[in-house]
Amino acid sequence: MNAKYVFITGGVVSSLGKGIIAASLAKLLQARGLRVTIQKFDPYINIDPGTLNPYEHGECYVTDDGAETDLDLGHYERFLGVPTSQANNVTTGRVYYTVITHEREGAYLGKTVQIVPHITDEIKRRMLLLGQTGKYDVIITEVGGTVGDMESLPFIEAMRQLQWELPEGDCMCIHLTLVPYLSAAKEIKTKPTQHSVQQLQHAGVMPDVIVCRTEHPLGPELRRKIALFCNVKPGHVIESQDAWSIYQVPLNMHAEHLDDLVVRQLGIENFNQPDLGRWKDFLENLQNPFQEVNIGLVGKYVALQDAYKSIQEAFVHAGAACRCKVKVHLFLSDDITADNVAGKLSGMNGILVAPGFGERGLEGKIHAIKYVRENGIPFLGICLGMQMCVAEYARNVIGWVDASSTELNPKTTHPVIDLMEEQKKTTLKGGTMRLGAYECKLTPGSLAAKIYGSELIHERHRHRYEFNGKYAADFAAAGLVASGTNPSTGLVEVVELPNHPFFIGVQFHPEYKSTPENPHPLFVALVKAALEKNARG
Ligand code: GLN
């Protein structure tokens, strides 16, 4: 069978959850035995989101191969349990960069380089790339942005061309729109959907299926109306009501026959019904917790939920695994002081100190870590959170009062966290951190080795600074031990406090690998430790 292509566009407003619809459809097709991947085309000029503040588009997600990508790739991996890669996220910036580099190399000598065909050819090449690997039956492509935006026009044009260039029946378009409810008129309105489909049609693309985001059921009349005005078959108008969990959406989409429509439309001879047994078990556990814990997430981007998306989701997975509702409380680290820390964090059964960059809010993180260390509260520090637990220990236990990371205080007399050797030559900011999956060897018998149930692990990284190995013996003598190191470089990746009930800092990002079907052991262990702390009081 040829690789089949499903394009997903969005209309009316942004934030409709195209990523979740894409991931849900992919999950259903995967559960029918098909090999599926999802890719996202983003219309901004940045080469990747690595240089963006999380307040712009939410967290930056990192893949095994070290790509800094849109957070939707996190959803793709969480739903499918299959790693994505650099090829799964393409921005306008990356497309232009390739074309302009080719132009400078003389690849188009004599020709005027234009949006059509040069930019659209490069978009099409990238849209087809994963399909040509032979590894997938279906490639779902999410086109970022909203139809009608100037930025996404070249992507839509590339889709239009592909609809004619690919063999008949190998490609289809699903359009996701908003069908708002006007409470004053007590009416559901279809006009914005009609207009956004018209915009798509102006660009030469006919949607095959329309998925309507709605707060209320549409009913057969409205479905017929949308089908009539938007030029699709009545059965091809799908309702997507707000769900209690994003993980419920695949089941809702199956109930609406989205996967049936797609296999039929693409001529896929696959009559299996999706096998969603494990997924349903997870949902069952998620919906019926026996207990509850409160976890504090201390960070500096707490005003936007999406800034710590993978961490939040990892707690959802770990909670379901423990049949426990994990209530995540966000604490802005800037607000935490030595005087208010006990009051602020007192009801918490566990604390996670988040990754981050720059100086703002750092002292607050250090106060929070001192409090949990001294009070036997379970602690997990991720990346900057790990680095700060090292600085806190140096300052408050060893007595090196100005100990810090050189990222924050280049003049510190005790640079316990320092720039990695390979980073010293780097001046460019984009894509230059230590990125992607690396091996880590755990000390037998350590808390880390017990949690993982293994002594060799692979975790993803995104950082420039690192534990300064020069001080490892001083820390170990004072009680903070390095229990995980990179076997080829010797870099310290995990630290822990054996004389504390649960205190562990990791230089890598475990949150990127947690999925509903494979919750991450570090998050599960933190939730369990928090439950024990809750029971102990
Ligand atoms: N700013 C720190 C570094 O670059 C930590 C990065 C992070 O938390 N992802 O090493």
Side-chain angles (χ1 to χ4, degrees):
M1 179 178 94
N2 295 340
K4 305 282 183 175
Y5 295 87
V6 179
F7 292 95
I8 302 192
T9 54
V12 184
V13 291
S14 59
S15 303
L16 278 181
K18 275 197 303 275
I20 301 296
I21 294 293
S24 298
L25 172 62
K27 181 78 207 165
L28 292 171
L29 297 177
Q30 183 193 54
R32 297 173 83 121
L34 294 162
R35 298 168 306 156
V36 190
T37 191
I38 318 173
Q39 55 187 0
K40 182 163 190 197
F41 282 66
D42 274 311
Y44 49 75
I45 310 286
N46 304 61
I47 299 282
D48 61 40
T51 52
L52 293 174
N53 182 311
Y55 279 159
E56 295 281 315
H57 292 279
E59 87 173 1
C60 171
Y61 185 78
V62 179
T63 57
D64 271 341
D65 68 347
E68 295 178 284
T69 71
D70 184 80
L71 61 74
D72 272 330
L73 272 81
H75 291 309
Y76 306 163
E77 289 204 12
R78 288 187 279 274
F79 277 60
L80 291 183
V82 177
T84 53
S85 68
Q86 181 62 75
N88 295 73
N89 194 195
V90 176
T91 66
T92 292
R94 198 172 281 278
V95 169
Y96 271 79
Y97 191 72
T98 309
V99 171
I100 291 169
T101 307
H102 285 164
E103 188 275 334
R104 290 290 84 183
E105 287 164 358
Y108 315 107
L109 272 189
K111 291 273 175 232
T112 308
V113 181
Q114 293 179 298
I115 293 181
V116 183
H118 302 97
I119 293 295
T120 47
D121 279 353
E122 178 58 15
I123 295 172
K124 286 191 292 181
R125 187 184 73 78
R126 288 177 180 267
M127 283 177 166
L128 298 178
L129 222 48
L130 286 167
Q132 288 157 349
T133 61
K135 290 201 282 190
Y136 305 105
D137 302 312
V138 182
I139 290 88
I140 298 179
T141 303
E142 179 189 346
V143 178
T146 307
V147 167
D149 289 353
M150 196 196 232
E151 284 100 334
S152 49
L153 276 176
F155 293 145
I156 307 283
E157 168 61 13
M159 268 173 64
R160 183 194 69 77
Q161 295 177 19
L162 281 179
Q163 283 192 327
W164 298 107
E165 290 168 14
L166 285 168
E168 178 94 38
D170 278 3
C171 155
M172 66 180 287
C173 170
I174 297 176
H175 187 58
L176 177 66
T177 79
L178 177 71
V179 182
Y181 175 74
L182 290 191
S183 47
K186 295 199 172 44
E187 253 190 285
I188 295 175
K189 306 304 282 184
T190 64
K191 192 80 80 191
T193 294
Q194 296 177 36
H195 283 167
S196 90
V197 172
Q198 275 168 15
Q199 289 224 313
L200 203 51
Q201 288 170 342
H202 271 304
V205 173
M206 287 285 215
D208 300 287
V209 175
I210 297 177
V211 178
C212 305
R213 277 300 303 273
T214 169
E215 286 173 20
H216 299 276
L218 290 181
E221 255 325 296
L222 282 176
R223 287 185 197 234
R224 260 198 299 278
K225 186 172 173 189
I226 294 171
L228 178 68
F229 283 102
C230 298
N231 221 10
V232 298
K233 294 181 191 153
H236 287 214
V237 177
I238 300 256
E239 167 186 304
S240 171
Q241 271 198 66
D242 296 350
W244 65 274
S245 159
I246 54 170
Y247 301 114
Q248 173 67 31
V249 179
L251 301 184
N252 294 357
M253 289 300 99
H254 180 58
E256 285 282 310
H257 307 293
L258 179 62
D259 50 321
D260 288 324
L261 283 182
V262 168
V263 291
R264 257 190 283 130
Q265 180 85 23
L266 294 174
I268 298 172
E269 287 179 15
N270 174 305
F271 305 104
N272 301 336
Q273 279 305 306
D275 173 5
L276 290 163
R278 283 183 66 204
W279 195 260
K280 287 182 183 161
D281 292 345
F282 158 75
L283 282 170
E284 170 77 22
N285 292 342
L286 185 63
Q287 214 168 6
N288 300 295
F290 297 138
Q291 322 175 63
E292 189 175 292
V293 280
N294 292 298
I295 304 273
L297 170 54
V298 179
K300 67 176 197 179
Y301 304 111
V302 297
L304 182 77
Q305 284 282 341
D306 279 356
Y308 299 116
K309 193 76 201 160
S310 294
I311 291 177
Q312 301 261 19
E313 294 305 319
F315 278 124
V316 173
H317 312 151
C322 300
R323 294 299 290 265
C324 162
K325 176 157 184 52
V326 180
K327 285 190 158 172
V328 179
H329 304 257
L330 297 165
F331 292 96
L332 180 64
S333 51
D334 311 42
D335 291 347
I336 300 179
T337 65
D339 295 334
N340 69 16
V341 63
K344 275 191 185 292
L345 303 184
S346 67
M348 297 299 113
N349 312 120
I351 293 287
L352 188 149
V353 176
F357 295 84
E359 216 183 332
R360 176 167 72 79
L362 269 172
E363 294 303 317
K365 287 187 173 169
I366 292 194
H367 294 309
I369 295 167
K370 177 168 188 282
Y371 174 77
V372 297
R373 180 178 56 74
E374 291 178 345
N375 290 282
I377 297 168
F379 164 78
L380 173 60
I382 297 182
C383 207
L384 185 65
M386 174 269 200
Q387 298 176 353
M388 288 307 101
C389 88
V390 172
E392 190 281 322
Y393 209 76
R395 288 185 194 182
N396 299 326
V397 178
I398 305 183
W400 298 333
V401 286
D402 75 335
S404 196
S405 161
T406 48
E407 178 183 9
L408 319 154
N409 176 8
K411 297 207 182 90
T412 170
T413 56
H414 287 90
V416 290
I417 304 293
D418 200 7
L419 198 60
M420 279 177 281
E421 212 38 56
E422 80 233 30
Q423 289 288 330
K424 294 190 174 150
K425 316 180 254 321
T426 309
T427 51
L428 294 178
K429 285 278 180 261
T432 54
M433 280 187 256
R434 180 176 182 231
L435 288 165
Y438 286 92
E439 270 188 349
C440 173
K441 180 110 187 42
L442 303 176
T443 310
S446 62
L447 174 63
K450 277 188 219 132
I451 290 172
Y452 278 90
S454 161
E455 281 161 24
L456 190 64
I457 59 167
H458 292 82
E459 292 283 11
R460 300 181 192 172
H461 293 250
R462 182 173 187 247
H463 59 120
R464 292 201 164 83
Y465 293 81
E466 182 74 50
F467 181 94
N468 188 342
K470 187 168 104 180
Y471 298 110
D474 295 306
F475 278 104
L480 183 75
V481 298
S483 58
T485 46
N486 178 299
S488 40
T489 59
L491 290 174
V492 171
E493 317 277 35
V494 187
V495 294
E496 58 187 72
L497 265 186
N499 69 357
H500 186 284
F502 188 97
F503 189 101
I504 184 162
V506 293
Q507 183 56 76
F508 45 76
H509 291 261
E511 70 274 22
Y512 293 143
K513 283 177 67 169
S514 185
T515 72
E517 289 167 323
N518 281 305
H520 196 286
L522 268 172
F523 282 83
V524 174
L526 176 63
V527 170
K528 284 190 178 150
L531 279 167
E532 281 162 24
K533 171 72 185 154
N534 199 11
R536 273 199 316 272

